[in-house]
Structure formats: structure tokens, C-alpha cells
Amino acid sequence: MRDQVTFCIKTIHRPQCCAALVRSIHEHYGSDRLLIHVLDDGQPELRFAANCPAEAAMVDQIIETEFDIGLSAGRNRLLDAGDTPIVVFADDDHLVTEQTRLPELVQKLNSRHDIDLLAALSNHQERPKLMKADGKRLRIPHGHYRRQGSIRWCHYVGNCFVAYRDILQAIRWDETLKVEEHWDFFWRCKIAGVNVACDVSHSFKHEHIDPPGYRRRRPEFQKAALRKHGIERVIWR
């Protein structure tokens, strides 16, 4: 898979989590694994390479940037740093397991002309959602508009997915949004006509750990994302 697929990991201040994810890729795919690129924007004392040198040696490329460039900027740089036609994204606190079956997920993406981004579940959660503007409100309820076997076509999925690099480069993540970037990204995917789907038979394992200094809610970014789209509120139902 090395000439076709790159696993892209944006990490900050969770070196042990990133190391566990890298090990899980090697354990499940061995010499037939995909490329692994890691971008780290953490403080020097909490860098992945400095804290986990054995796992860092198992990675094909490590990009170290200035501190806290944000998830959006990090993912965009990972997109621009490689050239395989397909990329895999997952947060650094996920693990590949027997239920992930990445080669099969990639094959499903490659074999169809009606999917541009294909997600897996996270702990059998993060199920597909729809997105619909309702006046000044954006509704994101659970659901899908088409299904075939285990594949659900939808508008919004979780953080673990395979996709075509050129499609993601056309959409890109908004680097002004360090959080609230996820719904913004998929809303713009919907507007652009990107074919998003989720295969509910594939799953990553998620072991969430908050990194030092992590703030889950950042009102300034939420307001910026809402203002950008002329929306007053996002309703998750």
C-alpha cells in the first residue's frame, strides 16, 4: 500500500498515544503497511520524536512545526507533504485493530465512483449524520440518505476516514479555526458536492486522553465558524 496510501497523523502533547497508533499500524500490516507521516506542533519537551524514538523510527516522515499551529493547519500541511493518491486520517489517540481492515476500506473507496471520502466508526460510535440548513440554524442529526450493504451515504462523519488527497486539497481545512473545524469542513464538503460515506462494518479503537493544557471548548472559534456561514446555532439533532 506504500505507493498508494499515506496514514496522516497530526499530534500535539500526546507522544505515547501517537506511538501506540504507529505501533498498531505496524502490528497489523507489517511489511505491507501504508506510509506513515506525522506532524507534531507540540512544545519541544513533549514532542513525539523526543519521547518515543523507537516509534519515531517506524515513521516515514516527521514534520515538526512551530508551536500550536492547530489541527486544521496541521492536516493541510500533511496533505501537501505527500503524493500518494489516497490518505488516511485519524486522531492520534486512535488505534488500528482487527476491525479496522484498512486495505479493505481503501479497496472499497477505490472500487466506486460515488464515494470520495469513506469513514470508519470510532469504538463503533461516530455514526453517519446528515446536515441541513434551517434558516439561521444548522441541524446535524444522525442519519443517511442512501445505503448499500454496510455503507451509508451521508454528509458528516467522525475523525477516522480514507479519502482522495486531491479532493481534500480542493476543500482543505480552515486554518483560522483551531476547533469547530470539523462541522465547518463537512458543511463545505456538502456544498462542494463531495460524496461522503461511512462503512459501519469498519472501526478504529479510541482511547481518549486530554493532552496537557487542552481546552475542549473555545468560544472565539465557535463564534468565528458560525459568523463565517451566517449561522446562529448548530443543533446536533
Side-chain angles (χ1 to χ4, degrees):
M1 290 196 292
R2 293 172 65 85
D3 61 337
Q4 290 293 311
V5 189
T6 303
F7 201 118
C8 298
I9 307 168
K10 156 66 175 71
T11 190
I12 182 169
H13 296 170
R14 292 194 288 204
Q16 285 75 28
C17 290
C18 187
L21 174 54
V22 170
R23 288 196 304 271
S24 73
I25 296 170
H26 277 262
E27 288 166 4
H28 284 87
Y29 306 119
S31 60
D32 192 37
R33 70 172 175 84
L34 60 178
L35 291 173
I36 306 172
H37 290 180
V38 173
L39 184 139
D40 190 337
D41 62 342
Q43 297 282 18
E45 66 275 13
L46 290 172
R47 298 272 191 186
F48 165 63
N51 285 271
C52 304
E55 288 79 8
M58 301 163 70
V59 168
D60 298 285
Q61 182 178 7
I62 297 178
I63 304 167
E64 294 185 339
T65 71
E66 60 272 28
F67 173 60
D68 193 24
I69 65 171
L71 179 63
S72 295
R75 286 187 165 178
N76 287 340
R77 293 196 194 185
L78 284 164
L79 284 176
D80 296 338
D83 56 10
T84 59
I86 294 173
V87 293
V88 181
F89 277 100
D91 285 352
D92 58 357
D93 58 352
H94 282 83
L95 296 171
V96 168
T97 72
E98 312 82 55
Q99 284 75 44
T100 307
R101 308 193 318 278
L102 269 178
E104 183 182 339
L105 197 65
V106 169
Q107 190 275 331
K108 289 177 179 178
L109 175 72
N110 253 334
S111 66
R112 310 192 61 107
H113 299 291
D114 53 0
I115 301 177
D116 302 310
L117 183 156
L118 182 60
L121 300 180
S122 171
N123 287 352
H124 300 287
Q125 299 173 344
E126 294 193 343
R127 292 188 173 271
K129 295 182 175 70
L130 297 171
M131 306 182 83
K132 181 180 180 180
D134 178 12
K136 291 290 185 177
R137 298 175 297 183
L138 177 63
R139 293 189 177 274
I140 311 180
H142 285 283
H144 56 272
Y145 61 86
R146 178 187 167 200
R147 64 184 291 172
Q148 183 177 336
S150 58
I151 299 176
R152 311 287 189 267
W153 279 262
C154 58
H155 304 136
Y156 181 103
V157 295
N159 283 309
C160 305
F161 56 81
V162 301
Y164 292 110
R165 187 187 298 270
D166 57 353
I167 298 290
L168 298 186
Q169 286 177 315
I171 303 297
R172 303 184 76 80
W173 280 270
D174 184 344
E175 298 187 13
T176 66
L177 301 176
K178 289 188 176 181
V179 295
E180 301 291 329
E181 85 295 328
H182 200 67
W183 69 261
D184 165 82
F185 175 80
F186 281 103
W187 181 239
R188 290 186 291 109
C189 280
K190 179 182 178 180
I191 292 170
V194 177
N195 295 303
V196 174
C198 178
D199 193 316
V200 297
S201 72
H202 295 256
S203 182
F204 284 73
K205 185 177 181 180
H206 185 213
E207 297 180 344
H208 180 73
I209 297 175
D210 284 339
Y214 177 70
R215 291 168 56 199
R216 182 173 296 276
R217 288 179 171 79
R218 304 278 290 275
E220 67 272 27
F221 294 116
Q222 181 183 46
K223 290 177 182 177
L226 293 172
R227 185 167 57 248
K228 170 184 174 179
H229 295 287
I231 295 170
E232 295 177 354
R233 185 182 176 194
V234 175
I235 302 173
W236 296 90
R237 64 181 188 276

